[in-house]
Amino acid sequence: DAMVIQNPRYQVTQFGKPVTLSCSQTLNHNVMYWYQQKSSQAPKLLFHYYDKDFNNEADTPDNFQSRRPNTSFCFLDIRSPGLGDAAMYLCATQTGGARGNEQFFGPGTRLTVL
Amino acid sequence: KNQVEQSPQSLIILEGKNCTLQCNYTVSPFSNLRWYKQDTGRGPVSLTIMTFSENTKSNGRYTATLDADTKQSSLHITASQLSDSASYICVVSQGRGSTLGRLYFGRGTQLTVWP
């Protein structure tokens, strides 16, 4: 049974053409994260939602936005993708309020920018 | 500076052999340490989580150790299988109390198991 679902698994877009990646969860977790992972590198946190509170990392480009319309869904919007934005995008969830809780990752969306 | 360093960067072993992966960290204050397995093109999957008071934890053929004094952890894989080929990522959580801890990721060790 899938717990953190990401759609699509593979996304191809053109340079400058907006794209939206989707994440949904069946765990009812408070916290949802978006990470960017480039080849052979560690995942880099872009931002996270703690319930409805949005927390942006200081070095996340303005080109990246996020929406969380409800507990289950979170979206990553890339307004004008550049070639450097090609990467794996990982969504993760966690129960908030307990620092020892595990983060559950989705399978990721591989973004290609042409 | 809060960092997580893993070694080796890559490792090739024969099926059935054992191996040990290393993780050193400087994250403070320390909350917990996690090992994840990430198959190519997939999201990370948790193997173990250890808090300050735990110095060993097993999950099947995977055994993780933690020395909080020296800030070192290891992941030992016993009787390796072809399906163990993956990247193994060490992740350290920072924080105290009930606050949501920031995670620091290592760059991973790429393990390849040959038949």
Side-chain angles (χ1 to χ4, degrees), chain A residues 9-10 31 33 35 37 39-45 48 50 57 88 90 94-108 110, chain B residues 9 30-32 34 36 38 40-47 49 51 87 89 93-103 105-108:
Chain A
R9 293 292 315 281
Y10 301 90
V31 191
Y33 300 84
Y35 291 89
Q37 186 179 27
S39 181
S40 301
Q41 294 185 21
K44 177 181 179 299
L45 181 63
H48 75 273
Y50 195 132
E57 292 299 298
M88 173 77 87
L90 296 168
Q94 180 178 356
T95 298
R99 56 190 166 90
N101 285 346
E102 179 181 347
Q103 283 197 8
F104 291 85
F105 285 85
R110 169 73 65 186
Chain B
Q9 185 175 351
F30 174 84
S31 174
N32 60 70
R34 314 156 191 224
Y36 283 88
Q38 185 174 23
T40 301
R42 306 299 297 259
V45 175
S46 178
L47 296 174
I49 299 178
T51 59
S87 179
I89 304 174
S93 179
Q94 180 190 48
R96 292 194 193 282
S98 62
T99 58
L100 193 63
R102 182 183 178 88
L103 297 187
F105 287 76
R107 297 185 67 168

Side-chain angles (χ1 to χ4, degrees), chain B residues 26-83:
Chain B
T26 58
V27 177
S28 180
F30 174 84
S31 174
N32 60 70
L33 185 145
R34 314 156 191 224
W35 282 94
Y36 283 88
K37 178 187 178 189
Q38 185 174 23
D39 292 313
T40 301
R42 306 299 297 259
V45 175
S46 178
L47 296 174
T48 62
I49 299 178
M50 289 183 291
T51 59
F52 187 88
S53 60
E54 297 173 297
N55 55 23
T56 187
K57 184 166 280 190
S58 292
N59 178 1
R61 292 180 297 103
Y62 302 102
T63 299
T65 64
L66 173 65
D67 185 335
D69 291 330
T70 62
K71 298 187 178 181
Q72 295 179 327
S73 176
S74 65
L75 180 69
H76 186 73
I77 303 175
T78 304
S80 61
Q81 300 175 358
L82 298 179
S83 60

Side-chain angles (χ1 to χ4, degrees), chain A residues 42-109:
Chain A
K44 177 181 179 299
L45 181 63
L46 296 173
F47 25 58
H48 75 273
Y49 274 94
Y50 195 132
D51 293 323
K52 291 183 182 290
D53 293 333
F54 178 69
N55 299 271
N56 197 33
E57 292 299 298
D59 57 354
T60 298
D62 292 339
N63 198 24
F64 292 86
Q65 304 285 322
S66 186
R67 296 171 283 134
R68 189 180 187 185
N70 53 53
T71 300
S72 300
F73 284 87
C74 194
F75 300 99
L76 169 62
D77 300 307
I78 308 176
R79 293 192 296 188
S80 181
L83 298 179
D85 297 327
M88 173 77 87
Y89 289 87
L90 296 168
C91 174
T93 73
Q94 180 178 356
T95 298
R99 56 190 166 90
N101 285 346
E102 179 181 347
Q103 283 197 8
F104 291 85
F105 285 85
T109 294

